[in-house]
Amino acid sequence: MPEIAEVETVRQTLKKQILHKKIKDVKILYAKMIESDVKTFVKDLINDEFIDIKRRGKWLIFELHNHYLLSHLRMEGKFFLKNSTEEILKHEHIIISFTDGTDLRYHDTRKFGRMNLIKKEDLEKTESIQKQGLEPGDKALTSSYLLTKFHHKKLPIKSVLLDQTIISGLGNIYANEVLFYAKINPLKEAGKLTANECELICKGAKEIITEAIKMGGTTIKSYTSSLGVTGRFQQKLKVHKKAGQPCPTCHKPIQNIKVGGRSTYYCPNCQR
DNA sequence: AGTGCGACCCGAACGC
DNA sequence: TGCGTTCGGGTCGCAC
């Protein structure tokens, strides 16, 4: 279940493995995964090479000479580098073969991930990237920024934290953890948060995301990022998926509720 | 404009 | 080797 920390781990790992390898062939085994024209996607990748890998929120941005390959892993997308001779697995949907006999394979059991190949000059008008809000690590992410963004919002803060146009990259797991850190009830109306509470959200987001990236991400189910790097941040989770277990602070049971249709974990005693 | 919700997927968990 | 149903997760598109 990759979130921003997993995406960052994948970015760093792949950068060491696939830059400057010439692309020989591209196989699309599940065409709906490609948002742009599939034939053009294949044609434009062949004979090019990845020269850098960037990230914006949960989007991976593979830079080529004249294009960007945008990739969103959603819940279960993973990249693996394998020898081209290896058998293609059931859930491997996109195979990018290099001239050195290796493949970059995109594996996704749920088929939820998406890829898009765009011309470089089109990045500025690509909405999925441009509408991303501030990264948790951005200095501009301050309590006054959040106060402005939350102003007049009637939705519960938990739902608003998942809005990628405000803070880019916070997913369900980290939203739960940030609210626990900030001692804020997930149902509290976003527009009613105080400056102090916004400050705690900033600090929590920065601290939790930094730590999660350091640890290689979170492992829920069997998620393994590319090349066998396993996230260890799961051990640090305080409330997510901990329904019924004692709160690390007050030892009262963690509760699981639905907020905006999404599973939400919190301590009703600490997060009033 | 802001909000709510179904659709997209399919393996796991659950109910009987 | 039980089998049908429900759930979850991020994002988009559509309805209101």
Side-chain angles (χ1 to χ4, degrees):
Chain A
M1 199 174 298
E3 299 209 30
I4 187 171
E6 285 81 357
V7 178
E8 178 58 19
T9 305
V10 170
R11 185 187 76 81
Q12 292 172 11
T13 312
L14 287 180
K15 251 189 98 158
K16 294 178 193 156
Q17 302 290 333
I18 64 165
L19 294 194
H20 310 300
K21 290 183 176 207
K22 189 174 174 189
I23 298 170
K24 183 173 71 179
D25 190 29
V26 177
K27 286 193 186 70
I28 310 295
L29 305 174
Y30 180 68
K32 284 171 79 175
M33 192 148 276
I34 311 296
E35 291 179 332
S36 49
D37 180 76
V38 175
K39 279 185 183 164
T40 312
F41 181 95
V42 172
K43 181 175 70 68
D44 287 345
L45 281 177
I46 290 176
N47 291 326
D48 207 340
E49 60 176 344
F50 297 117
I51 58 177
D52 198 6
I53 308 174
K54 304 165 191 289
R55 179 184 62 73
R56 188 71 180 89
K58 298 175 202 164
W59 285 91
L60 283 166
I61 305 179
F62 295 78
E63 183 178 4
L64 298 110
H65 284 104
N66 300 311
H67 295 84
Y68 290 116
L69 170 61
L70 310 179
S71 168
H72 196 302
L73 307 176
R74 295 285 180 93
M75 267 71 68
E76 307 208 356
K78 306 168 181 74
F79 281 105
F80 292 100
L81 192 65
K82 296 187 168 187
N83 285 324
S84 304
T85 53
E86 290 196 45
E87 169 194 10
I88 293 172
L89 303 179
K90 180 182 176 188
H91 299 296
E92 291 177 342
H93 306 304
I94 314 287
I95 317 267
I96 297 177
S97 302
F98 301 107
T99 54
D100 71 347
T102 63
D103 286 353
L104 178 65
R105 297 192 185 179
Y106 180 72
H107 181 288
D108 191 344
T109 43
R110 288 285 192 280
K111 295 183 173 171
F112 256 32
R114 292 293 177 263
M115 287 188 199
N116 192 3
L117 191 71
I118 59 166
K119 292 181 180 145
K120 277 192 178 173
E121 63 263 33
D122 290 343
L123 186 64
E124 286 168 26
K125 63 177 183 196
T126 302
E127 277 191 28
S128 55
I129 301 298
Q130 294 310 323
K131 69 183 184 187
Q132 295 292 317
L134 295 178
E135 299 277 334
D138 194 323
K139 284 198 175 70
L141 178 60
T142 61
S143 56
S144 56
Y145 168 81
L146 289 183
L147 273 176
T148 309
K149 289 289 185 182
F150 294 163
H151 191 57
H152 289 325
K153 278 214 186 286
K154 297 218 178 288
L155 285 173
I157 181 60
K158 167 70 192 316
S159 304
V160 174
L161 283 186
L162 296 176
D163 180 347
Q164 303 297 301
T165 70
I166 300 177
I167 302 178
S168 174
L170 275 193
N172 200 43
I173 299 174
Y174 300 135
N176 285 328
E177 295 295 317
V178 166
L179 288 175
F180 177 76
Y181 174 98
K183 296 183 163 44
I184 298 167
N185 189 296
L187 292 168
K188 183 163 180 177
E189 199 178 310
K192 291 189 174 165
L193 261 62
T194 64
N196 186 43
E197 287 173 323
C198 290
E199 180 63 33
L200 286 168
I201 287 178
C202 287
K203 282 177 67 180
K206 287 172 198 283
E207 192 172 309
I208 288 163
I209 297 297
T210 307
E211 184 73 4
I213 289 173
K214 225 185 276 176
M215 302 196 71
T218 310
T219 304
I220 298 275
K221 295 183 185 170
S222 62
Y223 180 76
T224 305
S225 67
S226 61
L227 313 163
V229 179
T230 303
R232 292 162 289 139
F233 189 70
Q234 185 176 23
Q235 300 157 15
K236 295 275 184 177
L237 297 178
K238 293 189 160 63
V239 291
H240 189 77
K241 291 263 169 118
K242 306 272 188 194
Q245 296 182 41
C247 165
T249 307
C250 75
H251 311 297
K252 295 202 167 131
I254 299 298
Q255 280 213 5
N256 177 215
I257 57 170
K258 293 267 182 229
V259 180
R262 296 298 171 212
S263 199
T264 300
Y265 298 86
Y266 75 113
C267 172
N269 186 43
C270 297
Q271 298 168 258
R272 303 243 179 197

